[in-house]
Amino acid sequence: MHVIKEEIEKAEIPNSKKTNMAQPYSSIAVHPELGKSATKFPKGVLYELIKMLNEKVCPFVSIYHDFDVVGQFYGEFLKYTGGDKKALGIVLTPRHVTELFALIANVNKDSKVLDICTGTGGFLISAMQQMMRQTHTDGERDNIRRNCLIGVEQQPAMYALAASNMILRGDGKANLYQGSCFDPGIEKAVKEHECTAGMINPPYSQSDEGLHELMFIKQMLDCLKKGGTGVAIVPISCAISPHYLREEILNLHTLDAVMSMPQELFYPVGVVACIMVFKAGIKHSDSNQKTWFGYWKDDGFIKTKHKGRIDVNETWANTRDRWIEQYRNREVHAGESVTQYVTATDEWCAEAYMETDYEKLNSEDFLINLKNYLAFRLTRPTTTEIPSLKPDTSWKKFSLDTLFELKKGKRLTKADMTDGSIPYIGAIDSNNGISAYVGQDAIHTRQTITVSYNGSVAEAFYQPEDFWATDDVNVLYPKFEMTAEIGLFLCTLIRKEKYRFNYGRKWHLERMKESVIRLPTTETGEPDWDFMECYIKSLPFSSQLS
């Protein structure tokens, strides 16, 4: 605790601010469990935590200055508290979005940046790094830390986190205010800074009784210097639902741009958001300009287990630069962006005004629709009379070894796999067993049956094309002339044996050779292939097999 106080005391800020910053940490010094010695932690849990932070977190922060490590930690913490995240409307801003804001606002070393909903300080950190890149002297850098980062945060714990975040980066905490951004005293103090850029992710209102997101936008814009840029990320409802505050905002400020963001940007929180950009202090009707609307729905981030949305394919940098270039130059591209004169009563989103991009229309679009329709036809109830099938004493047992020559598939690792058109059969239970299409030559011929002996054990599929099968799959080469209809008939019977096998009792090659299925037979006791083929042909939609 004394270290925290020492750091705060170094700052040239009023004593009242110092007290507010230190207060949330006060319980640490007197907590009975944190300093208690234990077998695993001889010097206490607090000592071990500080040691771990010093060894693993501080070096990371010193290298990645623009990474909001405190915000990242707080986001993970909220996942396990089960309480205040939803109740307070807290939707933490992804790091790449805070970076995007600094570029949208085009901040530089002479900017003064305001965030009236500071949270853990993510926007201020990204803005600071953008500003620092343009400095050349220690004096310029010191000026940014002392005078150019202004934040307001009402919740004491979040305020302390923001201050901690700034301390980790060498300062920047001097102009953090603890309290409501609507407080007249704080509002007056903030306006005196004459900020040129504002960035907020306001608390998302949970009911009609809460403060509306547009109230925070208006407050931010009212606190900016005339001509300043205000950027906010809010639920899409703010852009499409009528609200009296929209008219109040446009009576004082200009709606410069709105960008529709990815559906799952805040995953796992289900909020569909948009970014709004305003020019402060210039009445919308006086600006006499069209608003630029961007359709920024694909940022390249992909949902992953345990890690959330991440830039798996490392495409974000190119996407970010393209988006910023389009916005700054107010470029219009079909399916991506559009400009439009709007008023307070109009919709503020690209979806309402964009031209559909027919240049990207191709045959695959029609094929997808056709496949969906055929799938519907195949699954709808049928009134066609289906012939009865009553296995009786004429159905005899046959071992798979007598019917087929059994061969094992061959492993093909992802590292060796190339893209192509050859079906790659895996141990899966759908898509006719095809898990990928590869560029390697086929190793098995068509008009055969594949059966998984591992993975989805006993899934059987008739293969109409030459293919490659993984070593988790056995391939059944018929010792008779097998049509598609006969193959599908046999696949059904093979799957009936599924109950015998599982991950522990696999259907390996030797066991499969000894396995037996029953088939309809002719008077001579041979498999009745004609009956099997005719039966499948009698079923609805069988004509589509050819």
Side-chain angles (χ1 to χ4, degrees), residues 17 28 50 110 154 157 187 205 224 229 279 361 378 490 540:
K17 275 193 177 184
I28 294 175
I50 293 173
D110 298 317
Q154 184 170 22
E187 180 180 346
S205 59
L224 294 180
T229 301
K279 293 299 179 185
L361 191 64
L378 290 169
L490 293 172

Side-chain angles (χ1 to χ4, degrees), residues 75-87:
E76 290 300 312
F77 169 75
L78 286 176
K79 291 179 183 178
Y80 301 98
T81 59
D84 66 349
K85 184 177 185 180
K86 186 174 181 180

Side-chain angles (χ1 to χ4, degrees), residues 365-471:
D365 296 318
F366 293 97
L367 283 172
I368 290 172
N369 199 42
L370 177 60
K371 289 175 183 177
N372 288 338
Y373 178 72
L374 290 176
F376 150 74
R377 288 286 307 273
L378 290 169
T379 56
R380 66 177 296 197
T382 178
T383 56
T384 305
E385 185 176 346
I386 300 174
S388 62
L389 182 68
K390 296 180 179 179
D392 51 27
T393 55
S394 66
W395 284 52
K396 306 295 184 183
K397 292 181 179 179
F398 295 87
S399 69
L400 292 179
D401 191 36
T402 62
L403 299 171
F404 300 94
E405 180 183 356
L406 279 63
K407 298 182 181 181
K408 189 176 175 62
K410 182 179 179 181
R411 180 169 295 276
L412 181 61
T413 65
K414 287 186 177 181
D416 295 329
M417 195 179 291
T418 59
D419 292 334
S421 59
I422 298 300
Y424 180 73
I425 311 301
I428 61 175
D429 61 359
S430 58
N431 199 38
N432 211 53
I434 301 172
S435 60
Y437 287 91
V438 299
Q440 279 78 3
D441 293 335
I443 60 172
H444 293 286
T445 59
R446 67 190 68 192
Q447 293 180 301
T448 51
I449 292 174
T450 56
V451 183
S452 302
Y453 87 87
N454 196 11
S456 297
V457 182
E459 288 296 338
F461 299 101
Y462 172 76
Q463 301 301 336
E465 302 177 57
D466 295 349
F467 59 95
W468 184 303
T470 182
D471 58 352

